[in-house]
Amino acid sequence: MEPINSADIQQLNEKIEKESQFIELIRLEMNKVIIGQKHMVNSLLIALLADGHLLLEGVPGLAKTLAIKTLSQIIDVKFQRIQFTPDLLPADLIGTMVYSPRNEEFYVKKGPIFANFILADEINRSPSKVQSALLEAMQERQVTIGEHTFKLDEPFMVMATQNPIEQEGTYPLPEAQVDRFMLKTVISYPNYEEERLILRENIGKTFPTVNKVVDKEKILNARKLVREVYISDKLENYILDIVFATRFPERYSLEKLKPLISYGASPRASIFLALAAKALAFIKRRGYVFPEDVREVAYDVLRHRIGLTYEAEAENIKQDDIIAQILDKIEVP
């Protein structure tokens, strides 16, 4: 990291405070429709600003579809919902070559992946061929159909959902594919009062509507600014220590975690921890990252990147328990 003085940080802070005002407008519009679920909305914004993808786990009916659809209306970008089923084919997702008898030639028929925001509903319901077609588009930001390669429009974001209850007839995502998701967010039921508001909103005469308050150029510009958010050397070391503790817990006096972890977080974890912390600082209208930002995003960045042993599963220890112990142990700069 290049050395930076306090005057530069002050200037950067003022710039980001000014440029991040639109986040409040997005929140106000989202709050018209989405009641509660603040963590899910925050995760969506972090993924959007850090140019990442989001994996959501939660039971049906928690407004997952509504959240990303509402965000696409606020930014006025193209939204597609794809229901993943066991009989889905890669061509149903990316498109295919179709023969035209009139012209006696093949032409490309594009699939639903050609949108800005994709909701991959119940991604683990489809076989690996379909999952890999989606994940290739996520990673490469392009799709190949026949001999033609097409760049996907920016911004491009995938929000995939998994139902934690039904495991019958599902195809769990391989670790290498799960690793491409920046965040894995676990969402739960609304509280009593939130559910009362949801009930009233849905049985009322009209359902609230949202307005377009931001254009996609603003989002693309904000992504560049997120990269400028300052992160100190000490915080970089803190991020690396957290990630390395998942791989070599004994180096951090966490020997008791060694038999519980089958594999630690990949280098993507370090990159995404830093980027997500920068995006969160931007959302909080700051030009620099605090240790609290790193700690706040650590669970969502790490929980799908740590493998558990049979011993951990037998003792009913989850990834979140391991992350909590690591965060408690490693000294905050």
Side-chain angles (χ1 to χ4, degrees), residues 23-272:
I23 296 291
E24 205 46 50
L25 298 175
I26 291 178
R27 278 197 195 283
L28 287 169
E29 292 298 313
M30 290 290 280
N31 289 344
K32 288 182 185 175
V33 175
I34 307 295
I35 293 161
Q37 301 299 5
K38 287 185 171 62
H39 184 49
M40 174 172 65
V41 172
N42 228 31
S43 297
L44 260 175
L45 290 173
I46 289 170
L48 177 65
L49 292 168
D51 195 12
H53 305 289
L54 175 64
L55 182 61
L56 271 184
E57 192 171 278
V59 296
L62 296 181
K64 298 186 287 284
T65 308
L66 186 62
I68 191 165
K69 188 179 180 184
T70 303
L71 188 60
S72 68
Q73 290 167 342
I74 292 167
I75 304 169
D76 195 21
V77 291
K78 192 178 178 192
F79 165 75
Q80 281 281 10
R81 176 181 173 274
I82 305 163
Q83 181 66 50
F84 278 58
T85 55
D87 59 350
L88 199 72
L89 298 170
D92 299 329
L93 188 72
I94 63 171
T96 187
M97 302 291 289
V98 176
Y99 183 69
S100 166
R102 181 183 294 174
N103 302 333
E104 295 185 352
E105 61 183 16
F106 285 92
Y107 68 95
V108 173
K109 185 175 188 297
K110 291 181 177 180
I113 196 80
F114 289 90
N116 298 104
F117 289 180
I118 304 287
L119 174 68
D121 220 351
E122 295 197 278
I123 190 172
N124 54 336
R125 290 248 169 255
S126 284
S128 50
K129 264 188 178 179
V130 181
Q131 292 173 6
S132 62
L134 172 71
L135 289 152
E136 183 194 355
M138 285 165 55
Q139 188 68 16
E140 311 301 331
R141 306 297 168 104
Q142 63 181 35
V143 169
T144 303
I145 304 170
E147 294 173 3
H148 306 273
T149 300
F150 302 92
K151 278 268 179 217
L152 293 167
D153 283 349
E154 291 291 343
F156 178 71
M157 180 171 72
V158 173
M159 184 176 101
T161 70
Q162 285 190 145
N163 179 348
I165 303 168
E166 292 178 80
Q167 296 308 321
E168 197 74 29
T170 61
Y171 305 81
L173 289 171
E175 288 78 13
Q177 295 188 353
V178 171
D179 195 38
R180 294 184 196 176
F181 286 95
M182 180 180 213
L183 308 169
K184 180 183 179 183
T185 300
V186 177
I187 54 173
S188 55
Y189 293 112
N191 65 34
Y192 199 88
E193 282 310 311
E194 285 167 352
E195 191 136 352
R196 185 197 300 278
L197 291 169
I198 292 166
L199 173 68
R200 287 177 177 172
E201 197 172 77
N202 281 273
I203 62 170
K205 288 179 182 173
T206 55
F207 193 77
T209 54
V210 293
N211 304 308
K212 177 200 165 184
V213 292
V214 181
D215 57 21
K216 56 182 170 185
E217 280 66 37
K218 191 87 173 167
I219 299 299
L220 296 175
N221 185 47
R223 283 181 172 181
K224 290 175 190 164
L225 286 171
V226 163
R227 299 267 173 170
E228 288 181 33
V229 171
Y230 176 68
I231 187 162
S232 69
D233 290 351
K234 284 181 181 176
L235 269 180
E236 279 184 357
N237 294 340
Y238 182 54
I239 286 168
L240 291 170
D241 283 336
I242 291 169
V243 173
F244 269 69
T246 69
R247 300 176 199 165
F248 312 106
E250 68 282 2
R251 291 186 191 173
Y252 297 88
S253 307
L254 288 162
E255 292 83 359
K256 59 184 177 179
L257 294 184
K258 187 79 177 162
L260 306 175
I261 300 171
S262 62
Y263 59 87
S266 72
R268 277 200 186 105
S270 306
I271 297 163
F272 287 153

